[in-house]
Amino acid sequence: MATLADVARLAGVSTATVSHVVNGTRNVRPETRRLVEEAIEETGYSQNTLARSLVTASTKSIAVVMSAISNPYFGQVLQGIEAEAVEHDYTLLLAESRDDPDHELHVVRSMRARRVDGLVLAPSADPERALEYASAQGIPTVLADRIVDDRYDQVGPENTEPTAQLVDHLAALGHRRIGIVAGRTGLSTTDERLAGYREGLRRNGIEHEPELVVEGRSETDPGARATAELLRRRPTALITANNGMTVGAMRALGEAGLRVPDDIALVGFDDFPWANWFSPRLTVIAQPCADIGSLAARLLLRRIADPDVPPETHRLPPRFVHRDSCGCGLRS
């Protein structure tokens, strides 16, 4: 059986440093952490010691790893997970992946060191190493929000048709130059919403113009910069593909002196608590956030109880929330 000393000897560091990496008790330089993690994999330390302790005792804890817990969408998903977990006497350990595959792997390793009973993961654009690690360590895992691998239980929203419906709505108002501020490249949600955007254009007889598609990286500031870039191409309507980018777009439109919806229509994917308090109130696709979280937790608890149950994929339907920013009142 591999020991801390074996790992330390292979990595060329002290056993204390290995302990800090395994337990997350102190910051360790990235290069040193990488050497330790490679030594752990090579020696099989995690698999032979930590995994064995997980089999013999439950900690009644669940790891939740999401890109940004500060995002209202993920916050509401988390509420659904927590409500279900608390009902079954589980506690949550939270971490952000920052949509960075290296950091995602690091935090999953850290959660493993804490002997969590299972993992809910909103996967990054390249989650393969984190998923392979979780699988090798026997960590029951459920994917939330982003549907990427049917070997795992996974639950997320419908993305393609709801985005196409946003295009339908704008096209029905007479718009032909409809731009989209898309999310981070490589995320499954980004790919699906872009597919819905293209489908909406196709079925409304509108030519797809690549210049009207910009990447807002799923965040507010990049979303604002992407919107400013898109405005130079003179769209008459905008779709923003998540709540952070919607806020960024509103800021960019204001800085450009454009009024919504008088000068340009705006609709978004994601509802959020203050969307109904903006002026104008935002027309959006509202996702069933808490339901996604609750179902993800139920799937995980089922898998913890029975690791051999066949995996399931669930898509939950969002709803169209019609407010003012689309400009219907101007065109009726």
Side-chain angles (χ1 to χ4, degrees):
M1 179 186 299
T3 66
L4 276 176
D6 295 328
V7 176
R9 187 163 42 252
L10 183 60
V13 300
S14 69
T15 55
T17 297
V18 175
S19 178
H20 287 311
V21 171
V22 169
N23 296 302
T25 50
R26 192 183 73 187
N27 289 330
V28 176
R29 290 190 302 113
E31 177 61 21
T32 302
R33 183 192 308 123
R34 182 183 63 79
L35 290 172
V36 172
E37 289 175 345
E38 289 176 353
I40 287 172
E41 286 191 351
E42 187 169 337
T43 60
Y45 173 78
S46 294
Q47 187 171 4
N48 291 336
T49 58
L50 300 179
R52 183 164 298 159
S53 67
L54 182 67
V55 170
T56 58
S58 169
T59 61
K60 298 295 285 187
S61 62
I62 292 171
V64 180
V65 179
M66 296 184 170
S67 58
I69 296 170
S70 59
N71 183 318
Y73 167 77
F74 285 118
Q76 292 175 57
V77 172
L78 181 59
Q79 288 176 357
I81 296 172
E82 183 180 35
E84 196 71 31
V86 167
E87 185 175 330
H88 292 84
D89 297 322
Y90 278 81
T91 58
L92 302 185
L93 299 179
L94 310 179
E96 293 192 354
S97 70
R98 308 172 194 162
D99 277 330
D100 177 340
D102 291 335
H103 189 66
E104 177 180 55
L105 175 60
H106 169 65
V107 297
V108 171
R109 286 183 181 278
S110 296
M111 292 298 185
R112 182 70 182 91
R114 287 160 174 77
R115 302 195 308 169
V116 295
D117 292 348
L119 167 67
V120 177
L121 174 68
S124 70
D126 184 17
E128 199 59 35
R129 286 181 297 154
L131 290 176
E132 286 179 355
Y133 176 81
S135 179
Q137 300 303 309
I139 306 172
T141 300
V142 172
L143 308 182
D145 180 52
R146 299 155 184 178
I147 305 295
V148 299
D149 192 329
D150 61 10
R151 293 175 299 174
Y152 299 86
D153 293 304
Q154 46 188 357
V155 55
E158 295 283 356
N159 289 299
T160 303
E161 179 58 23
T163 308
Q165 290 172 359
L166 290 175
V167 178
D168 290 341
H169 187 68
L170 294 171
L173 295 173
H175 294 285
R176 308 294 291 179
R177 289 188 61 78
I178 302 171
I180 184 169
V181 183
R184 186 183 295 268
T185 297
L187 293 179
S188 63
T189 47
T190 297
D191 294 341
E192 290 166 4
R193 290 169 197 175
L194 281 173
Y197 168 74
R198 292 189 295 269
E199 168 60 18
L201 295 178
R202 184 199 63 77
R203 69 193 188 195
N204 286 283
I206 302 173
E207 181 181 355
H208 177 244
E209 300 181 53
E211 68 170 7
L212 294 179
V213 179
V214 293
E215 181 186 341
R217 296 185 60 79
S218 303
E219 298 175 359
T220 299
D221 289 343
R225 291 192 292 270
T227 300
E229 175 187 347
L230 184 54
L231 290 178
R232 293 196 290 269
R233 300 160 193 178
R234 300 191 179 280
T236 64
L238 293 183
I239 296 172
T240 49
N242 85 344
N243 54 24
M245 294 185 295
T246 299
V247 174
M250 291 286 287
R251 188 178 74 201
L253 293 170
E255 291 173 351
L258 295 175
R259 298 169 301 166
V260 178
D262 305 69
D263 301 318
I264 189 168
L266 174 67
V267 298
F269 207 106
D270 276 344
D271 202 7
F272 45 98
W274 55 92
N276 197 40
W277 298 100
F278 276 131
S279 180
R281 300 178 309 142
L282 298 177
T283 293
V284 295
I285 295 294
Q287 301 191 68
C289 310
D291 290 343
I292 290 172
S294 178
L295 180 53
R298 291 199 302 274
L299 289 171
L300 182 59
L301 294 173
R302 181 191 69 156
R303 183 149 302 278
I304 291 171
D306 183 0
D308 296 323
V309 67
E312 297 180 359
T313 293
H314 296 266
R315 293 274 193 177
L316 303 187
R319 59 189 176 88
F320 183 89
V321 180
H322 188 197
R323 299 189 181 112
D324 305 324
S325 63
C326 51
C328 288
L330 298 178
R331 295 169 183 264
S332 59

